[in-house]
Structure formats: C-alpha cells, structure tokens
Amino acid sequence: MAVQVDTLTSANGLISLLDEDERELQYYGLTQLNSVTDRFWTEISDSISKIEILYEDESFEHRKLAALVASKIYFHLGEFDDALTFALGAGDLFDLSDTSAYVQTVVNHAIDKYIELRALGDQQGVESAVDARLEAVVERMFARCFESEDYGQVVGISIEARRLDVLERALASGDTRSLLDYVQRDCVALISSIRVQAQVQELLVKVHLQFDAPDYEAVCLCLSKLNNPQKTAGILQLLVNEGETDDAKILSAYQIAFDLEANATQEFTRAVVAELLPNNEADESDEVTPIKRIKAILSGDETLKLHLEFLFRNNKTDLKILNRTCKVLDSRLSLAHSAVSFANAFMHAGTTVDTFLRDNLEWLARASSWSKFTATAALGVIHHGQIKHGMTLLQPYLPEDNTSTSPFSEGGAFFAYGLIHACHGSDRVLKYLQDALVTYQGQNVEILHHGACLGLGAAGMGSGSEDIAQALMNVLYADSAVSGEAAAIGLGLVMMGTKNEGALSDMLQYAKETEHEKIIRALSVGMGLVMFGRKQEADEFIAKVIEEEDPLLRLAAVHAITMAYCGTGDNSAIRKLLHLAVSDVKDDVRRAAVTGLGFILLRSPEQVPRMVQLLSQSYNPHVRVGAAVALGIACAGTGSKAAIEILEPMLKDAVDFVVEGASIALAFILIQQNEVFEPKIAEVRKRFAEILDTKHGEGVSKFGAAISQGIIDAGGRNVTIGLTTSDKQLNAPACAGMLLFLQFWYWFPLAHFLTLSFKPTALIAINKDLKTPNIEVTCASRKALYSYPPELEQAVLQAPTKVATAVLSTTAKARRSTKKAADETDAEPGTQKKPAGDNGEKMDTDSSSNNAKEQAADEGSMDVDDLSADSKAQKKNRKPVSETSFTVTNLSRVLPYQEKYIKWSATSRYVPIKQGRASGVLLVKDTTPDVPEDLIASMLQDRPGDDDEDAADADELQPPEPFEYPFDSDRA
C-alpha cells in the first residue's frame, strides 16, 4: 500500500473517502491523507471543512487523527494558531519526538503561547487560565528535555514561563554550579518582571546555600539584587570569623567586597557598612582589622586608589596630538576652547596628570564665561577618584569666606569636586555640596548652584537620599533656567533606579508647569534615570507621557524606555522606540529613540548594525546621527567591522552634526585598538586630523573630531567604555554617564559625565594586606595585538639642498670640442699623449663618473654579497623568538578581548581566589607565606622626607603638583 501512496499524483480519491458513510473508510482515508499531507496539502486544504466535521463528531472514534491532519494543513497554510489548536486536539498522536518542521514549529508556538498566558496572569496578579491540553504539551516537552539532559533549554523556558518549580528541578538535576552561573550571568538580567526576577534570585540563593561549600560571591551578588544588606553583612562577618584559621576565607570576603563595590548601588554598600558596625571593634583603634578593610573596600577607597595607581603608572597619553589640535583650533572661539578642554580631560581621565595645562597657560587664559566653567570642571575628570586630596586640589578655585569672585570657575570647581567623588560621596562631601545650595546668594548664584547641583548628583548617585532630593527640589522650584536644569539632572542621579513615586510625581508636575525648555528637557532625562532598571514597572509611567502633546515630555518617555530596559534586549521596548523613531514629528524625539536602541541592545552588539543599517541612510539627519551613536554605544570597545563599515561613509556626510556623531561613535568602537588588531584605526585617526585641518570646516564637525581624539585615547590609553562590569552585570553609573554625555547636544559641560563610563582595563592582583605583589602571568597570543598605539610622528624639517646648475646639451658639446682641439695642439709629433691624470689635469667628467660608478657598483655588489652572507649566518645562529605568548605583569593593561588568553602558571606562587577572570581587582593567595614578598612600590605614595636616600627618585615619580588656572577673577 505504501508503494501506491508514493505513486499517487492526486489526493482527490483519498478525499472522497471522507464522504463515505462507513467509519472504516473514513478512518482509512484519514490515515492515507496523514501520510501525504506534505505533498498534497494544497488539494486537501479545499476540503478542510470535511476534516473539521469529523473532528467535531464526538461519536467518531478516530477524531484525534482528524485533528492531526487538520493541524498539518493549517501549518502549511501558515495559520499557526489553528495548527496549534488542532494539534492539542490530536492528543498523544501529536508526537513531540518527531523532528519534522511541522512538529518543531507547532511546539515552539505552543511554548510561546504558554509563556504569553503565564506572563499575562503574572502581570494581572492572578492565576493564569491555561488550557490543560496546552499545559500537557509543555509538560511533555519538559519531560523530553529532562530525558535528553537538555537542561539549558529547560532553564530558559521555565524562567520565561514563571515555572520556578521546574527551574529548581533542572538546577538539581544537572551540573548545578554551572547552571547556577548560567542563570545568574545570562538569564536573570533578561527577565522583564522585577517580581519574577526577585523570585529567581531568591531561588538561586536557596540552591547555593544547599552546598557544603557555598559560592558566597554568587550568593552576595544575588543578595545585592534583592537589596538585602543584612544577610550580605552576615556572610561577610561569617567569612571573617572563619578567616582566623583560614586565610582563604578572609580573601574571599575581600573579593566579595570588591565585587559588591563594582556591581551594587551606593545605597546598598552603605547599608552593608552600617550593618557591619555593631560587629566591629572600636573604630578609634589604630589597629587594621579585616572588618575595617572590608568597610574601606565597600566605600570605594581601595578600588579608587588601585585604579589611580594603575592609570598614573601606565599613562601613555600622546601630548603631540593634543598640542596639534590646540594649534589648529581657534581658541578664541568658545566651541573650540571647550573641545580642547574635553579632549584633554578625556585623554588624562583619572591619571592626575595636568602637563598639558601647565604647558599651555596662554591658551588656558583665553577661557571665558562657560568655557571657563568647562575648563575648571575638567579637573574633576583628570583627578577622578583622588578623593584623598580632592579638596586640596580644588581649593584655589572654590569660593572663600562664602564670597563669590569668579562664579564660572567656582561653579566649575563645585562640579569637579562632585566628579572626583562620583558614586563615592562621603557624608562630608555631600554635606559640603548641599550647603553650597543655601550658603551662596547674589547676582551670579545660579552659576554656583548649577555646578553644585551637578556635583551633588554625581557624588550622591544612586544614594536615594531624601534630604539631598529635597535640597535639589528647592533649587528647581526657584524656576531659574540655569540652576533648574542642573537641579533636575542632579535629582535624577540621586534617585537613580529607585522609582520613587513622590519624586516622579513632583518632577512630572513641575515639567508641565514651568515654561523653561531647559528645565523640561533636563527633567525628562532625570525621570528616565529614576526609572533605571525598573523594566515592566516603568510601563505605566511610559504610557502616561508617551501620548503628551509636548515633545519634551514625549522625550521623557523615550528616556524612560531606554533606561528601564537598558541591556535587556526587550522586544516590546525595541518596538516602541522604532515606532517613535519613524513616526514622531519632533526630531529630538526621533534622534533619542534611535539612540536608545544602542542602550537596550548593549549586551547583543552584533544585532545593532543590522537593525540600524537602513536608519543610517534615512533622509532625516537626526535619525542618521541617532543610528551612528546607537552603534557606538552598543559596539563600544569591540572594534566591530560591521559597525565601522556603516559609520565610515558618515564621516563625509553633508550635515555637520552627523559627522560629529559618526566621529564619536567610531571613537567608542575603536577605543584601545591598535593597527595590528584593527587596521582601520589608522584611517579613522587620519580622518579626524583632516577634519580638524580643514580651514573653513564646520565648527560642529571639528568639535566632534577633537573630543573623539580624546575618547579614543581616554585615560592615558588604559580605559575602555565599560557599560557592563567584569562580572557581566549592568554598570549603572556608566549607563547614566553615557546618557548624560549625550546631552552635550544641548549643554556642553554635561560631556564631562562620560568619565563615569570609563573602566580601567587592568590586571590588579592584591594580597591579604591589599598590597600589590610582583606577579607575572602568561598571555597565549601575539603581543603586537595588544600593544599601545605608536605616538604621533612629527614631520622633520630638512635643510635646503643646493640645486645643480642646468647645463644645455649644446654648451656641453662645445666645451668638449674646444678641449679636444687644445689637447691635440699641445701634443708633440712622435710622442705618446699622456693621460690627463698624469699631469694633474682634470679628466673628462662623464668618463670619470662612469668609471667611479662602475667601480662602486662592483665593490658595492661584493659588500652586499658579504653582508648578505653574514646576515644569513646570523639568522641561522639566532635563537627563535616566540611570538605566540608573552608575559604580563601585575598592574599592567589587559584588554577585554585579551582576557581569554591569560593563563596563570601552575607553579606560580600566587593563586587567584576567583577563577575565570583575568582583569579587574583580584585577590590572590600566597602559597608560600613564610617567604618574604616582592611588592610593587606605589608611585603615588606620600613624598619622602629629606633623609630618604631615594627622595630624588621618588619625587620624579609623583604626579604634578596642583596649580592655579590663569583666570582673571574680575571678569566672568
């Protein structure tokens, strides 16, 4: 019978069997149709109603077979909902083990439908009404995955479907530790519901603690997401107590503290420190205890100190690039002066090196008004993290005796003070900046308040302090465009990620009342920051403002979507942004919507070039520049060739701000790349220089090229754009800094916030005393791929050479004829003519030169042969040089794409506590503690006394002393 089916040319005969009265013939017809559906589904589809009638006839014994045939027909017709409905009616006849396209498609659709229904019920807070047959299919799918040990698929589906019981079973059935790591690293961040995310984190903590030796680092990371400082402090205290007999426990506690400082909010780390206080010894004691060290780590002091050491020690800034840019730009223009200030600040971010400023005092003195504010605030970027001496460095610029004499430089100093303490503001720093909001009054008070509000927002980022928020609201309610703008941004930074209903309500209400566009625009950014990471919890607010008539309030919806779903890759958020990008009537909204795609997809940079390729060719220049910046954000530091291919033509765009955006995006992508790893970087650097050299070029284009030169060499060429941490967690301060940097479109000083996005790329290994031992690890790759770019070569001026006098051919011929006649006259008859050389006369120039050339060629050829032979002999005897690996020392640069090649030697004295990571701050255990350690001396240590024999050498290693800007305090 099978042979007859294979030879069929039409299914009409089989279809006609469905009209028979006998059930056996109908069953036979369905059986045969089921086997030929893939070939004759077009014919069978015309009689689909007959098959449906058989399925609906409850007296028909084989109605499940009718459902299966109908399901296959609807599958071929592309009606997947109907195909799923009839597949569910087929019951056991729907074989999940079948690998055909039909089964795979219907199963996937069933899972999507199940997830959709479960998510809908979760949003409504009720038990979802799911068809029992659909749930049975999903359960059978789970069972099949468990049988095949495909636990990764079970984990993914169970999380999306809110089936934590299945997730717990999968974690227990497979390789639990690796699955726990997979869920924490790759799954948790993509959960759109904060409530479900918290439930998953709680389950991870529960499973972790079931081990005899729990991974306390992972547990504390989960607890930080759950905002549970009490349990976190308890674990740290437990490890310290156990560390009395085991140094590894103390090192683990230190490593956890460093990771929490990098991944958790300032509010959480402060709460952990507060919980540690009751268990601490007397704070006034000079004895250094593990608890005191943990508190110093959580406050950020130790991390900042290590980063400062690394950045100062390895500073490779090429001052020739800065000097050249400063020379070609007209510093009398505020735009050009600010561009050089930003370039210098970015190049020296965190290095504490101000050599360029000292060498260009005349240029610096030309700053006026807000360019003076920008130049002073740049000190905060250069000295970012130097919290110990921040006040001393800025003392010359801060107001004295509560009296303002130069408001622009003083306001910039307040901002700089906040940037130095960004994300690590102590109570003293926050109180100083908060007092500045009420202490100073007068004609130019709004400029001082502008700097103080921005500084307060930077220092108190994520603290959630109600007192600071109220102080900023008071400045906002003064309704000054200058100070109100900064207060709105500062308020968003302080309340970042808290979803504080009171603050949101006040901000939205005031945005509708005020008439200052600067304030409304800043409030839209601030409200977006308050919604950072809130995902679905932000949907209600987004729906409220996205329909507003005021485009600046719709801008708040864009920023809220961008920040709430940052790094999640959420499809619904992407759809909303794409809809706004192509339909909104306001260019600012469209540009921000396209830019937001880069934030949402920053964990999937490979998807962005394909998504924005058409947008990059839009007729609207605002959409084009948004596409460029989105590429730069998502592909930052990756060297993505697809992104570069899209951006390169945009450097020649007819619109100046598109060129500016493309330049900045390319700088983001190519940061820390060299010509060996990415040859395109040479062309990009050359193009930046050409834009700056264009005599009548657009100022905006030159501004973009100048700051792009600073970004591409940021932090002395030792930092990258780090929107995620070393543990692949979202870096909230970096994302906020990037969003605020992009607001330079409206207000240049906000560009300084980019320093929050810079992440040092370093291997920093420290021992139990938090000192840096001399350690070497191996990088199993070519050294040239990771070396610093060469410095800019200056053109060497050559001395003028004497040009030979031109001699006509007729003149030379006449001279030769005259000389020949004279020689014949002087010769006597019967005697032999002497060569000209014998009587000292000069020989013919041509012949002598030819002979000389021939002789030199002969001699030269001999020399070359001999040299070639010697070279061959030397090469033969030379030992082969290994190009497949090289040594990396402690406190050295390790690039993100270099980490996978870093190997710790099995015979190394030091062993890292945290495996699987090769950059950032790593605690190492000394396997031979009885042997004296070789420690790396700090270059940033206090100056030695006169009796120190190494005083002279140590003085050379110190960073430059602070100096006072040559600003005229009498003029603004």
Side-chain angles (χ1 to χ4, degrees):
M1 196 64 184
V3 176
Q4 294 177 0
V5 170
D6 292 339
T7 58
L8 282 178
T9 58
S10 174
N12 288 330
L14 297 176
I15 295 173
S16 63
L17 294 176
L18 303 180
D19 297 327
E20 296 292 335
D21 294 332
E22 294 186 18
R23 294 297 191 182
E24 291 297 326
L25 292 176
Q26 291 174 344
Y27 169 65
Y28 177 77
L30 286 174
T31 304
Q32 299 305 312
L33 287 174
N34 183 46
S35 61
V36 298
T37 303
D38 293 340
R39 294 168 53 197
F40 300 111
W41 63 268
T42 53
E43 292 183 51
I44 303 172
S45 62
D46 293 334
S47 303
I48 187 66
S49 59
K50 298 179 181 179
I51 301 174
E52 291 183 7
I53 291 173
L54 290 176
Y55 167 67
E56 294 171 357
D57 185 359
E58 296 184 0
S59 64
F60 183 48
E61 183 181 357
H62 305 288
R63 57 193 302 264
K64 290 184 178 181
L65 180 59
L68 181 62
V69 175
S71 175
K72 290 183 178 181
I73 298 301
Y74 279 118
F75 161 73
H76 286 292
L77 290 172
E79 299 292 340
F80 297 133
D81 284 335
D82 291 333
L84 173 59
T85 300
F86 284 102
L88 295 177
D92 296 337
L93 294 182
F94 182 66
D95 187 7
L96 295 179
S97 62
D98 188 0
T99 58
S100 65
Y102 158 69
V103 172
Q104 296 298 320
T105 303
V106 173
V107 167
N108 290 339
H109 195 68
I111 294 173
D112 291 340
K113 195 70 174 178
Y114 182 72
I115 291 172
E116 180 184 345
L117 293 173
R118 294 278 301 181
L120 182 61
D122 179 70
Q123 291 178 9
Q124 297 175 349
V126 296
E127 187 68 24
S128 55
V130 180
D131 189 332
R133 298 175 302 169
L134 176 60
E135 192 153 8
V137 170
V138 176
E139 291 291 348
R140 286 163 55 197
M141 187 66 190
F142 282 142
R144 198 190 75 175
C145 290
F146 277 112
E147 289 177 5
S148 60
E149 298 184 353
D150 189 1
Y151 300 116
Q153 188 171 359
V154 176
V155 166
I157 297 174
S158 61
I159 290 177
E160 288 196 66
R162 278 72 168 167
R163 290 291 303 274
L164 300 187
D165 57 328
V166 179
L167 175 61
E168 184 174 6
R169 179 185 168 196
L171 292 175
S173 301
D175 183 354
T176 305
R177 290 193 182 274
S178 62
L179 286 174
L180 285 169
D181 181 63
Y182 166 67
V183 173
Q184 182 64 56
R185 187 184 68 251
D186 297 327
C187 301
V188 171
L190 304 181
I191 302 174
S192 57
S193 171
I194 295 293
R195 189 176 66 84
V196 176
Q197 187 178 35
Q199 291 175 348
V200 173
Q201 296 278 16
E202 290 174 353
L203 176 61
L204 295 181
V205 171
K206 174 184 174 183
V207 176
H208 271 298
L209 294 178
Q210 291 175 354
F211 289 101
D212 294 334
D215 184 355
Y216 285 120
E217 294 177 16
V219 171
C220 288
L221 182 59
C222 293
L223 292 175
S224 69
K225 302 300 181 184
L226 292 170
N227 195 25
N228 192 334
Q230 294 81 12
K231 285 188 177 180
T232 305
I235 290 175
L236 292 173
Q237 186 66 60
L238 174 66
L239 291 173
V240 169
N241 294 337
E242 294 179 355
E244 296 178 359
T245 57
D246 186 0
D247 286 345
K249 299 293 185 180
I250 293 287
L251 293 174
S252 294
Y254 292 163
Q255 186 69 66
I256 290 171
F258 276 112
D259 292 344
L260 288 175
E261 191 277 330
N263 294 298
T265 64
Q266 187 176 179
E267 181 182 14
F268 180 80
T269 54
R270 285 188 171 195
V272 174
V273 170
E275 291 293 330
L276 289 172
L277 281 176
N279 298 323
N280 190 16
E281 299 86 357
D283 286 337
E284 60 273 8
S285 173
D286 294 334
E287 181 185 359
V288 179
T289 62
I291 290 292
K292 284 187 176 180
R293 285 192 174 129
I294 289 174
K295 291 166 60 180
I297 295 170
L298 289 172
S299 66
D301 294 350
E302 295 297 332
T303 303
L304 293 175
K305 183 172 69 176
L306 292 169
H307 285 168
L308 279 174
E309 178 72 34
F310 163 72
L311 292 173
F312 178 69
R313 177 185 294 269
N314 296 280
N315 178 33
K316 295 293 189 298
T317 302
D318 188 356
L319 287 176
K320 291 188 286 293
I321 297 177
L322 265 179
N323 291 327
R324 185 177 181 278
T325 303
C326 184
K327 183 177 180 180
V328 298
L329 293 180
D330 187 357
S331 60
R332 294 172 298 179
L333 301 177
S334 177
L335 179 65
H337 198 283
S338 296
V340 178
S341 294
F342 289 131
N344 172 54
F346 295 154
M347 282 190 182
H348 293 97
T351 64
T352 72
V353 176
D354 49 22
T355 306
F356 174 78
L357 300 175
R358 295 172 181 274
D359 295 343
N360 294 273
L361 294 178
E362 182 181 353
W363 164 82
L364 195 57
R366 295 174 186 167
S368 62
S369 300
W370 286 106
S371 60
K372 184 188 294 186
F373 180 96
T374 299
T376 310
L379 281 177
V381 179
I382 295 172
H383 294 280
H384 173 63
Q386 199 167 17
I387 56 179
K388 185 177 180 181
H389 305 294
M391 180 60 74
T392 305
L393 289 165
L394 296 174
Q395 195 64 50
Y397 319 105
L398 293 168
E400 296 181 2
D401 300 327
N402 297 336
T403 304
S404 173
T405 57
S406 181
F408 287 103
S409 61
E410 291 164 353
F414 282 134
F415 186 18
Y417 193 52
L419 288 174
I420 288 176
H421 296 268
C423 305
H424 300 91
S426 63
D427 293 337
R428 177 180 56 83
V429 172
L430 296 175
K431 186 177 186 305
Y432 174 79
L433 291 171
Q434 191 173 342
D435 290 343
L437 298 180
V438 295
T439 302
Y440 301 101
Q441 302 293 333
Q443 182 179 2
N444 296 313
V445 67
E446 60 183 13
I447 301 171
L448 298 178
H449 285 178
H450 186 88
C453 288
L454 292 178
L456 194 56
M461 183 183 299
S463 64
S465 171
E466 294 287 350
D467 293 338
I468 298 176
Q470 187 58 50
L472 292 169
M473 289 297 293
N474 293 336
V475 176
L476 179 65
Y477 289 150
D479 205 37
S480 167
V482 174
S483 58
E485 177 186 35
I489 292 174
L491 185 60
L493 287 172
V494 171
M495 291 295 176
M496 182 177 176
T498 62
K499 191 180 171 280
N500 187 292
E501 296 291 348
L504 270 177
S505 176
D506 293 343
M507 294 170 78
L508 182 58
Q509 183 64 31
Y510 193 73
K512 294 179 179 180
E513 294 176 357
T514 185
E515 296 180 356
H516 295 291
E517 286 192 5
K518 288 171 69 72
I519 295 179
I520 301 174
R521 188 181 294 111
L523 283 170
S524 70
V525 176
M527 288 185 283
L529 291 172
V530 174
M531 284 297 184
F532 181 84
R534 305 310 298 186
K535 302 178 183 177
Q536 287 183 354
E537 292 184 0
D539 288 348
E540 183 180 353
F541 171 79
I542 293 168
K544 184 189 302 182
V545 296
I546 202 170
E547 301 296 337
E548 290 283 347
E549 292 183 4
D550 188 347
L552 296 180
L553 291 179
R554 295 201 300 276
L555 198 60
V558 173
H559 292 318
I561 295 171
T562 300
M563 291 289 97
Y565 290 95
C566 184
T568 63
D570 188 81
N571 290 328
S572 64
I574 293 173
R575 282 195 296 269
K576 290 177 183 176
L577 291 181
L578 287 175
H579 175 71
L580 290 169
V582 299
S583 65
D584 201 279
V585 296
K586 186 67 173 179
D587 286 335
D588 288 355
V589 177
R590 301 180 70 175
R591 183 181 66 253
V594 180
T595 302
L597 296 174
F599 284 97
I600 293 177
L601 292 170
L602 64 86
R603 295 180 189 269
S604 307
E606 66 282 353
Q607 297 182 18
V608 182
R610 184 175 66 255
M611 181 174 292
V612 304
Q613 185 169 15
L614 291 178
L615 295 173
S616 68
Q617 300 169 6
S618 170
Y619 72 93
N620 190 323
H622 291 268
V623 174
R624 295 203 299 273
V625 72
V629 176
L631 281 170
I633 294 170
C635 304
T638 63
S640 170
K641 296 185 183 298
I644 295 172
E645 186 178 350
I646 295 174
L647 290 170
E648 270 192 310
M650 301 177 75
L651 288 177
K652 299 180 181 179
D653 198 281
V655 181
D656 54 357
F657 61 76
V658 176
V659 177
E660 176 190 55
S663 300
I664 294 172
L666 281 169
F668 286 162
I669 294 171
L670 293 173
I671 190 172
Q672 288 197 317
Q673 312 277 327
N674 61 20
E675 294 183 32
V676 179
F677 189 84
E678 178 48 70
K680 284 286 185 182
I681 192 171
E683 300 177 20
V684 172
R685 288 181 181 272
K686 182 179 178 182
R687 180 57 184 160
F688 289 165
E690 290 174 353
I691 294 173
L692 292 168
D693 289 338
T694 304
K695 187 174 183 180
H696 301 292
E698 297 289 344
V700 172
S701 301
K702 292 186 176 183
F703 178 87
I707 65 173
S708 297
Q709 286 183 331
I711 294 170
I712 206 169
D713 290 333
R717 296 178 171 175
N718 290 299
V719 300
T720 189
I721 304 295
L723 301 183
T724 56
T725 66
S726 298
D727 293 317
K728 309 305 178 186
Q729 302 297 311
L730 205 60
N731 189 343
C735 295
M738 179 62 72
L739 178 67
L740 291 174
F741 164 75
L742 297 177
Q743 306 311 307
F744 80 84
W745 181 279
Y746 308 104
W747 191 235
F748 285 142
L750 296 179
H752 283 311
F753 276 106
L754 185 63
T755 187
L756 303 181
S757 299
F758 292 153
K759 182 177 75 172
T761 52
L763 169 62
I764 305 177
I766 56 176
N767 60 15
K768 65 177 182 179
D769 297 322
L770 306 187
K771 303 295 183 182
T772 51
N774 203 341
I775 296 176
E776 291 185 349
V777 297
T778 302
C779 179
S781 184
R782 292 170 52 204
K783 186 175 183 178
L785 292 171
Y786 317 109
S787 59
Y788 289 96
E791 292 192 357
L792 182 69
E793 294 183 2
Q794 290 184 332
V796 180
L797 298 177
Q798 296 181 352
T801 56
K802 185 177 180 180
V803 181
T805 305
V807 180
L808 298 176
S809 58
T810 54
T811 304
K813 185 177 180 180
R815 288 178 179 176
R816 286 195 298 270
S817 299
T818 303
K819 183 176 181 181
K820 184 177 180 180
D823 291 342
E824 291 176 352
T825 303
D826 293 341
E828 295 181 1
T831 62
Q832 186 177 3
K833 184 173 69 171
K834 295 181 180 180
D838 290 351
N839 57 9
E841 294 182 2
K842 193 173 182 180
M843 294 180 64
D844 181 71
T845 303
D846 292 341
S847 61
S848 63
S849 62
N850 290 337
N851 292 336
K853 288 179 181 179
E854 292 175 2
Q855 183 178 1
D858 293 338
E859 294 175 356
S861 63
M862 293 174 63
D863 292 340
V864 169
D865 291 340
D866 294 340
L867 181 61
S868 177
D870 292 340
S871 299
K872 291 179 180 178
Q874 291 176 3
K875 289 181 180 180
K876 185 176 181 180
N877 296 329
R878 186 183 302 166
K879 294 182 179 180
V881 179
S882 173
E883 295 183 355
T884 59
S885 64
F886 64 98
T887 300
V888 177
T889 59
N890 198 7
L891 287 176
S892 294
R893 186 176 78 157
V894 174
L895 302 180
Y897 51 87
Q898 182 185 358
E899 291 184 26
K900 57 186 176 182
Y901 301 109
I902 297 295
K903 307 293 181 186
W904 290 76
S905 173
T907 59
S908 175
R909 173 177 177 175
Y910 297 95
V911 180
I913 289 295
K914 188 168 186 174
Q915 301 295 330
R917 205 171 81 187
S919 67
V921 181
L922 296 175
L923 272 295
V924 292
K925 182 179 180 180
D926 187 0
T927 58
T928 56
D930 298 332
V931 180
E933 292 185 277
D934 180 15
L935 301 177
I936 300 176
S938 173
M939 288 186 173
L940 293 173
Q941 59 191 353
D942 295 333
R943 286 184 173 276
D946 296 334
D947 56 340
D948 193 331
E949 61 183 7
D950 296 330
D953 294 338
D955 283 349
E956 293 179 0
L957 298 176
Q958 299 304 310
E961 291 291 336
F963 73 101
E964 188 170 356
Y965 277 16
F967 293 152
D968 184 3
S969 60
D970 294 332
R971 64 184 176 92

